[in-house]
């Protein structure tokens, strides 16, 4: 992924004006998926490291190897790193690149959902389980059948059904699945196989989970994101189309699908009436942060809604060394969400 220009940024000044500070600073963390379990906040982030991998547009420098779970008694309390929760060496099917995870709970068992490149270099999504929200987690021997690409987010609906949302462009390989199977042909560039600007954009996927949360209960389906005229967003509409970082939350009976626009660096949202959509593009939750990626979750804590997100301010702009943050968000009476500016000035 290309770097945004950071030469003009005075990071000391920027960090003073940021609306929030890193929740932990002894390790780099990113892609925070936050949940409240038993009254406590648990954040399931990527654990960023500098593995010495060369930077490229397919994200090889995001060479993460493990996961740590962060917990907090409240959004204002100290964030605790609960140590190693799962390492790639303990996942039989996975080779490398432990990217953005999520977690959920059912009947006292905690499920960590995570993408990684399998031994054939194709991203798949796996599950690991624990009797504690902080792990350690034990991985299933195989990835979820029918899974592909990256960035799983597992939403529990009010009727007790669980749905996984996933997908990501460029390094996340979604563009290689246009025909329902992995297209391994050349060229190996992030934008090969992306639709033309005037064609419909690639879409994220959703699949209902089986009762044991270990498999898809159905073939994953595309999730439609429509514009104000009811048409699919176009591939060239890079300020609004889906790129990665799927998330779903429910507010006042409406389903909010939020996501990152990747190369235009926004966190956007679209609203629908059921978990499968269609969803209508509505607006932005977060303006661009320092760093190339923007990835988030939306979580209700004590009747207030919060955006968990990341930026690269602590590492002074290093794309793959990010820090998890949290800020309150507001749903307006008309259902829209107020857009957050991550810094009062840069
Ligand atoms: O952290 C690695 C990748 O970067 C994630 O999977 C994407 O969402 C982006 O944040």
């Amino acid at each position: 992924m290309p770097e945004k220009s950071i030469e003009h940024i005075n990071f000391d000044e920027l960090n003073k004006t940021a609306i929030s500070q890193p929740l932990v600073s002894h390790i780099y963390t990113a892609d925070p998926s936050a949940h409240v379990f038993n009254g406590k906040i648990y954040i399931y982030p990527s654990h960023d490291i500098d593995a010495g991998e060369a930077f490229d547009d397919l994200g090889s420098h995001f060479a993460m190897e493990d996961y740590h779970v962060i917990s907090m008694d409240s959004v204002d309390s100290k964030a605790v790193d609960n140590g190693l929760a799962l390492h790639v060496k303990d996942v039989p099917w996975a080779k490398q690149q432990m990217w953005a995870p999520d977690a959920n709970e059912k009947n006292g068992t905690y499920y960590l959902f995570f993408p990684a490149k399998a031994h054939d270099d194709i991203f798949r999504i796996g599950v690991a389980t624990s009797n504690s929200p902080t792990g350690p987690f034990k991985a299933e021997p195989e990835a979820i059948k029918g899974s592909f690409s990256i960035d799983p987010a597992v939403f529990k609906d009010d009727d007790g059904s669980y749905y996984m949302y996933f997908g990501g462009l460029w390094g996340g390989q979604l563009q290689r699945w246009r025909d329902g199977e992995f297209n391994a042909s050349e060229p190996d560039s992030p934008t090969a196989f992306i639709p033309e600007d005037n064609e419909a954009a690639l879409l994220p996927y959703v699949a209902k989970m089986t009762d044991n949360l270990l498999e898809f209960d159905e073939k994953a389906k595309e999730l439609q994101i429509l514009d104000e005229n009811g048409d699919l967003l176009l591939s060239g509409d890079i300020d609004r189309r889906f790129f990665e970082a799927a998330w779903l939350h429910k507010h006042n009976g409406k389903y909010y699908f939020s996501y990152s626009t990747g190369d235009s660096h926004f966190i956007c949202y679209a609203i629908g009436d059921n978990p499968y959509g269609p969803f209508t593009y509505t607006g932005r939750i977060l303006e661009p942060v320092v760093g190339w990626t923007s990835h988030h979750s939306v979580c209700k804590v004590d009747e207030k809604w919060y955006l968990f997100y990341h930026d690269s301010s602590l590492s002074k702009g290093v794309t793959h060394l990010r820090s998890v943050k949290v800020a309150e968000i507001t749903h307006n009476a008309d259902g829209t969400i107020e857009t957050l500016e991550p810094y009062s000035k840069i």
Side-chain angles (χ1 to χ4, degrees):
M1 299 178 186
E3 301 271 7
K4 279 192 288 183
S5 170
I6 55 171
E7 288 87 46
H8 69 289
I9 298 176
N10 175 333
F11 284 96
D12 293 331
E13 191 59 31
L14 168 87
N15 290 335
K16 278 189 223 146
T17 66
I19 59 171
S20 64
Q21 297 300 320
L23 292 179
V24 293
S25 55
H26 66 293
I27 56 172
Y28 289 107
T29 54
D31 311 323
S33 293
H35 294 270
V36 174
F37 297 132
N38 302 319
K40 196 164 167 171
I41 303 165
Y42 294 92
I43 306 167
Y44 298 85
S46 299
H47 175 197
D48 283 357
I49 53 168
D50 193 349
E53 291 292 332
F55 180 97
D56 69 22
D57 284 349
L58 289 166
S60 302
H61 47 301
F62 290 102
M64 298 86 99
E65 297 176 351
D66 63 18
Y67 297 111
H68 287 216
V69 181
I70 307 294
S71 56
M72 301 171 81
D73 289 331
S74 73
V75 283
D76 301 317
S77 70
K78 183 173 156 46
V80 174
D81 172 5
N82 293 278
L84 181 66
L86 179 69
H87 194 282
V88 67
K89 69 178 169 41
D90 296 318
V91 183
W93 62 267
K95 177 174 143 194
Q96 60 188 20
Q97 285 170 286
M98 302 286 263
W99 285 14
D102 188 21
N104 221 312
E105 181 273 344
K106 186 171 182 182
N107 298 333
T109 298
Y110 296 86
Y111 298 79
L112 182 70
F113 304 95
F114 59 96
K117 269 192 188 152
H119 297 288
D120 58 3
D121 284 325
I122 298 176
F123 265 112
R124 305 282 179 185
I125 297 170
V127 193
T129 57
S130 175
N131 57 14
S132 162
T134 56
F137 290 89
K138 180 163 176 40
E140 292 295 301
E142 306 284 345
I144 295 174
K145 287 187 281 302
S147 72
F148 53 93
S149 198
I150 59 166
D151 290 3
V154 175
F155 164 75
K156 180 185 179 185
D157 207 350
D158 298 332
D159 66 358
S161 304
Y162 292 76
Y163 300 87
M164 181 182 289
Y165 298 82
F166 64 94
L169 308 192
W170 296 18
Q173 303 178 334
L174 192 61
Q175 66 280 1
R176 291 189 176 271
W177 289 93
R178 290 179 66 174
D179 300 324
E181 55 187 52
F182 188 77
N183 177 351
S185 55
E186 296 291 332
D188 193 15
S189 99
T191 51
F193 316 112
I194 297 276
E196 296 297 325
D197 282 0
N198 61 356
E199 294 178 325
L202 293 174
L203 297 168
Y205 280 77
V206 58
K208 190 171 183 183
M209 304 299 293
T210 51
D211 281 347
N212 64 7
L213 301 191
L214 298 179
E215 298 288 348
F216 292 164
D217 201 29
E218 59 188 356
K219 191 172 183 319
K221 303 172 169 62
E222 287 181 324
L223 197 75
Q224 294 194 326
I225 307 176
L226 309 177
D227 67 13
E228 59 283 2
N229 301 314
D231 298 322
L232 288 168
L233 292 180
L234 297 181
S235 187
D237 190 354
I238 67 162
D239 285 354
R240 299 196 297 174
R241 62 90 171 90
F242 171 82
F243 189 99
E244 62 188 2
W247 189 259
L248 198 98
H249 75 276
K250 195 172 179 181
H251 173 66
N252 279 351
K254 294 284 188 191
Y255 294 78
Y256 288 70
F257 178 74
S258 49
Y259 55 96
S260 167
T261 60
D263 53 344
S264 58
H265 315 291
F266 301 112
I267 298 292
C268 293
Y269 68 104
I271 300 179
D273 293 320
N274 73 77
Y276 291 106
F279 293 86
T280 301
Y281 177 89
T282 306
R284 291 179 191 163
I285 304 179
L286 184 68
E287 295 290 342
V289 294
V290 169
W292 197 95
T293 66
S294 198
H295 189 127
H296 71 299
S297 61
V298 176
C299 182
K300 195 178 195 182
V301 185
D302 294 335
E303 298 311 310
K304 289 185 176 174
W305 286 97
Y306 293 90
L307 184 74
F308 291 77
Y309 64 105
H310 69 226
D311 74 6
S312 296
S313 59
L314 186 65
S315 67
K316 297 195 178 341
V318 179
T319 306
H320 59 287
L321 296 178
R322 302 160 291 179
S323 300
V324 166
K325 297 179 156 192
V326 61
E328 189 177 348
I329 55 168
T330 304
H331 293 78
N332 297 312
D334 64 0
T336 59
I337 297 175
E338 280 182 23
T339 307
L340 283 183
E341 291 280 354
Y343 319 96
S344 46
K345 58 179 173 177
I346 297 183

